[in-house]
Amino acid sequence: MPDRPRGAIAFPDVGVAAKTEAHEARAAGPDFHAIGDYGFVSDCHTGALVASDGTVEWMCLRRFDSPSIFAAVLDRNAGAWRLGPRGLRAPVARRYVPGTNVLETSWMTRTGWFVVRDALALAPAGDEDGTDEHARDLGPHDAEHLFVRAVECVHGHVEVETICEPAFDYATEQTHWRLVDRDTLAADASGGGVTLRLLGDIPLEVEGSVARGVRTLKAGDGCFSCLSWREELGGPRDASDAIARVDCTVELWRRWLEGGVFPDHPWRWTLQRSALALKGLTYEPTGAMVAALTTSLPETPGGERNWDYRYTWIRDATFTLWSLHVLGFDQEAREFMEFVCELFHGRGPEAQIMFGIGGETELTEKTLDHLSGYIGSKPVRVGNAAFEQRQNDVYGALLDSIYIHSKTRGGVPEHMSSIVFEQAKAASQAWHIPDQGIWEARGEPKHYVSSKLMSWVALDRAGRLARGMDKNELADGWEREAEVVKAEILERGLSDRGVFRQHYDTDALDASLLLIPLVRFLRPSDERVRATVLAIADELTENGLVLRYRLEETEDGLTGKEGTFTICSFWLVSALSEIGERKRARQLCQRVLSHATPLGLYAEEIEGLSGAQLGNFPQAFTHLALINAVSHVVADDQKGERDEPSAVFTELRAAGAAG
């Protein structure tokens, strides 16, 4: 094996992985897949990762944050479900059905060709007038609680095999199968108080924890395999019904996407794929958005930087509102904002940085030591201890979100005004206290400049909102306090060379400082802003992609390496655009977009030397930052020279509407 480049993170090549103990060929093969190999499907209640070989290797029921039934992505013996040709695991092509979250995989065998379409099925929701309970247009809002896998043989003849091996409750519960019809076309799997039904038109046989079946098709034939967790465990009647359900799901996703506004630009498809990913990561019953589908996919294969991201972070709120509104999905933006404000209504000044997707406040972290972890990356965690951290940026994220929301509503909704007053007061009392920072360091609290910055955002936006409500005395007070915060940042947050620093006790750089021009703390033309952006571009990058900080300069309480943070690379695109480095911004944006997976998705990180995806997948925050960055470049391309920064919400909206 050739020597690894110095400083590179050690992990297997695509399609090769650490071996587990040998066992009989089952649903999941013995090797882990590269993180970027997975496709993502969703019904806006839960989601699944499907590997290129046709294996579902991650899925939780009934919600995104429920215990897993398939978790082979974290342990090869932790449950999976494969549908594909016997004895063959490499397809010839894979894509999303355009405009959807329906995955299509094409297979060529020695005797024929067939196509599989995978869908977490959706059905039209609502009453007779074509709207649902949230008064939205008819769209993909009603989960069928079915995972439908429809097969069509298009040439020759083929053998199609289904192998289903659920492992309930993160593979802690034993699986029991029971055939439920005389034709052996359906079988129920039970474990941990959960029952699923595998049904279709492929005859099944059960052996231990595995149900499997094989069917031969000739050109023009179709078949299906379906997993049901409906109350009555029902599903498609036959292959034509299965195809109809997939077709309906395709139609509903496309109808939803048609409600967006996308510029006529070469990167239009990228924006659409990000919009579909974000909608797929949205928990429809509440409007919450999970940060990612998965838990514990590592920032370093074999390392300890493995976290559970199946929750909603308040810090994501500003970018969520920006992104949804700029793409024209105002209803989703409003529902997300309503969810966030409901979390804070009646809480008083108490702020929590993250919540469960149903509004849960206790997210106790524990480790699942029986799981091997992705390529030996332990521990596997469920829950997230960061929910108890002090992170002062939460006030700015919340109040900036309300500020953006108010611009679409012609003012602050009455039920949000008390939140503005409470959180502004809390920010004014907390901004001077050290905290764990935006990156949730597990070391000692510090005076992080990004936390001070977002505290300034909180007070600045509170002043604007109060003035809009004719609360001029409150506005005056918060604006004065914002100036105090600003003065301290400018006094203590700058190094001797005029570059903003990570925290007051270091001159180290931090990518979160790229937010300075994006939140309008200083004008982009300010030399301190320009110096900081260019310093990060030149000194905090690896092969042109941005690190969040240098590990050797930062005490974050953890060990090991990590990749470049993709959100930070997209922030740099936006910041370069802001300071007038538009050619450089476009080049970087093109570079980062080239690192998307073949299906257009991103994890949290990119390994700088190989371009491999690292961390939880797909990552909402990355796609949110992508939309902001691409919107900047599109605005540059379509508007030419402009006098004002484009990070302002109304200007971003205009850029998105230009197409």
Side-chain angles (χ1 to χ4, degrees):
M1 177 180 290
D3 291 339
R4 191 169 66 249
R6 188 173 182 179
I9 293 174
F11 59 91
D13 295 332
V14 172
V16 180
K19 300 284 186 179
T20 60
E21 295 182 5
H23 58 69
E24 177 189 359
R26 297 188 299 193
D31 299 339
F32 287 95
H33 293 259
I35 291 171
D37 180 67
Y38 291 99
F40 163 57
V41 295
S42 170
D43 63 4
C44 301
H45 283 240
T46 189
L49 293 183
V50 186
S52 61
D53 67 358
T55 305
V56 180
E57 296 199 354
W58 178 255
M59 187 173 176
C60 300
L61 293 181
R62 303 176 62 95
R63 303 188 342 175
F64 292 108
D65 57 351
S66 296
S68 65
I69 59 166
F70 303 128
V73 70
L74 297 177
D75 187 304
R76 302 313 288 166
N77 295 304
W81 175 29
R82 181 169 191 263
L83 182 71
R86 294 189 73 178
L88 185 68
R89 285 188 175 262
V92 295
R94 191 166 61 141
R95 65 166 189 163
Y96 281 110
V97 176
T100 78
N101 280 321
V102 175
L103 197 60
E104 180 183 276
T105 307
S106 298
W107 295 91
M108 182 187 73
T109 73
R110 289 182 299 174
T111 61
W113 292 67
F114 68 95
V115 177
V116 179
R117 289 191 299 165
D118 289 324
L120 280 166
L122 301 166
D127 52 32
E128 295 179 357
D129 66 1
T131 61
D132 69 6
E133 60 181 324
H134 298 291
R136 291 169 295 201
D137 292 336
L138 192 66
H141 305 305
D142 196 7
E144 286 262 58
H145 307 300
L146 298 171
F147 195 143
V148 181
R149 315 190 75 177
V151 182
E152 181 184 4
C153 179
V154 295
H155 178 76
H157 64 275
V158 296
E159 278 192 323
V160 179
E161 181 177 45
T162 185
I163 307 173
C164 189
E165 187 179 12
F168 295 94
D169 198 2
Y170 305 109
T172 61
E173 298 286 344
Q174 188 173 0
T175 300
H176 301 278
W177 282 100
R178 180 178 67 89
L179 292 169
V180 295
D181 78 329
R182 67 181 65 186
D183 296 320
T184 69
L185 297 177
D188 288 353
S190 300
V194 177
T195 299
L196 313 170
R197 178 166 293 174
L198 180 67
L199 55 95
D201 51 11
I202 303 174
L204 300 172
E205 59 182 31
V206 171
E207 182 180 354
S209 63
V210 182
R212 72 175 76 215
V214 179
R215 180 169 173 181
T216 300
L217 302 177
K218 64 180 185 298
D221 288 345
C223 70
F224 77 102
S225 187
C226 174
L227 198 66
S228 172
W229 55 99
R230 303 172 79 168
E231 185 175 349
E232 78 286 2
L233 299 178
R237 298 180 302 276
D238 51 32
S240 62
D241 187 19
I243 291 170
R245 291 173 189 260
V246 174
D247 288 342
C248 179
T249 304
V250 167
E251 171 66 20
L252 291 172
W253 278 117
R254 286 175 169 169
R255 192 179 302 176
W256 176 81
L257 191 65
E258 288 166 2
V261 178
F262 302 95
D264 184 13
H265 189 273
W267 294 340
R268 178 185 179 96
W269 175 86
T270 299
L271 291 171
Q272 291 174 338
R273 177 47 51 199
S274 289
L276 286 162
L278 293 172
K279 181 62 174 177
L281 292 169
T282 300
Y283 182 56
E284 188 64 33
T286 63
M289 186 181 293
V290 292
L293 182 68
T294 57
T295 179
S296 299
L297 290 182
E299 298 173 15
T300 306
E304 68 170 336
R305 296 170 182 263
N306 320 313
W307 316 108
D308 192 347
Y309 278 11
R310 298 172 296 162
Y311 306 110
T312 291
W313 268 257
I314 299 305
R315 86 158 62 90
D316 298 0
T318 294
F319 273 89
T320 301
L321 268 290
W322 270 355
S323 301
L324 291 173
H325 279 306
V326 75
L327 296 182
F329 296 109
D330 295 343
Q331 185 63 42
E332 280 74 15
R334 286 193 293 270
E335 288 173 12
F336 176 77
M337 197 66 239
E338 290 295 330
F339 169 73
V340 169
C341 287
E342 187 173 329
L343 295 175
F344 282 85
H345 187 70
R347 290 178 66 89
E350 178 187 355
Q352 184 167 316
I353 68 163
M354 57 187 293
F355 296 86
I357 56 176
E360 296 83 4
T361 57
E362 293 290 328
L363 308 177
T364 304
E365 183 177 303
K366 65 178 182 179
T367 61
L368 302 179
D369 297 328
H370 64 287
L371 296 178
S372 72
Y374 177 80
I375 315 182
S377 306
K378 300 189 76 167
V380 172
R381 294 180 171 93
V382 293
N384 196 309
F387 83 95
E388 296 182 297
Q389 287 186 350
R390 168 176 286 279
Q391 293 180 28
N392 292 336
D393 62 347
V394 66
Y395 305 110
L398 179 60
L399 289 172
D400 202 22
S401 301
I402 294 175
Y403 175 69
I404 292 171
H405 187 65
S406 72
K407 294 174 77 70
T408 73
R409 301 290 297 269
V412 181
E414 184 176 350
H415 67 286
M416 294 185 187
S417 59
S418 62
I419 298 174
V420 173
F421 304 147
E422 292 166 354
Q423 297 305 308
K425 181 179 179 181
S428 67
Q429 295 171 343
W431 70 266
H432 63 283
I433 302 172
D435 70 340
Q436 307 307 131
I438 187 173
W439 305 124
E440 300 174 357
R442 298 204 172 191
E444 290 298 313
K446 306 284 186 184
H447 289 284
Y448 289 100
V449 172
S450 64
S451 295
K452 309 298 183 188
L453 171 70
M454 294 308 293
S455 295
W456 173 85
V457 169
L459 294 163
D460 175 81
R461 304 309 191 259
R464 296 173 186 236
L465 290 166
R467 207 163 293 287
M469 292 183 280
D470 294 325
K471 303 287 186 181
N472 292 323
E473 186 174 345
L474 284 173
D476 291 341
W478 288 330
E479 288 167 358
R480 285 194 300 270
E481 190 70 11
E483 288 302 311
V484 173
V485 179
K486 188 172 191 176
E488 181 176 297
I489 293 173
L490 296 177
E491 178 185 355
R492 301 183 63 189
L494 282 163
S495 67
D496 291 341
R497 61 175 177 155
V499 171
F500 286 97
R501 50 167 57 116
Q502 182 185 62
H503 60 78
Y504 289 169
D505 300 320
T506 183
D507 283 343
L509 293 169
D510 192 299
S512 63
L513 302 170
L514 294 167
L515 295 174
I516 288 173
L518 303 187
V519 299
R520 307 185 298 283
F521 178 72
L522 294 172
R523 293 187 65 83
S525 58
D526 189 291
E527 280 303 312
R528 293 162 294 187
V529 174
R530 183 175 179 82
T532 301
V533 172
L534 294 179
I536 290 171
D538 296 337
E539 303 170 28
L540 197 60
T541 54
E542 185 175 279
N543 282 5
L545 303 177
V546 183
L547 300 163
R548 56 180 180 169
Y549 46 73
R550 295 278 179 192
L551 294 176
E552 64 272 18
E553 297 177 341
T554 302
E555 298 176 9
D556 63 7
L558 299 166
T559 60
K561 294 178 177 291
E562 64 181 25
T564 66
F565 261 60
T566 312
I567 184 175
C568 299
S569 295
F570 282 127
W571 283 348
L572 180 56
V573 171
S574 299
L576 286 168
S577 172
E578 289 290 326
I579 67 171
E581 295 286 338
R582 293 167 188 166
K583 181 178 179 181
R584 194 169 177 180
R586 194 181 208 290
Q587 290 173 339
L588 177 59
C589 194
Q590 195 154 15
R591 180 183 180 86
V592 184
L593 293 179
S594 74
H595 285 294
T597 74
L599 294 171
L601 300 174
Y602 291 88
E604 182 174 36
E605 301 181 17
I606 295 171
E607 207 279 329
L609 291 171
S610 68
Q613 301 287 328
L614 296 172
N616 284 310
F617 180 84
Q619 176 89 356
F621 211 176
T622 303
H623 285 276
L624 291 167
L626 179 156
I627 292 168
N628 186 270
V630 169
S631 294
H632 272 81
V633 176
V634 169
D636 289 341
D637 289 350
Q638 294 186 341
K639 291 186 175 181
E641 293 296 320
R642 63 180 190 277
D643 297 326
E644 296 296 326
S646 68
V648 180
F649 163 69
T650 51
E651 293 163 358
L652 276 176
R653 186 179 178 86

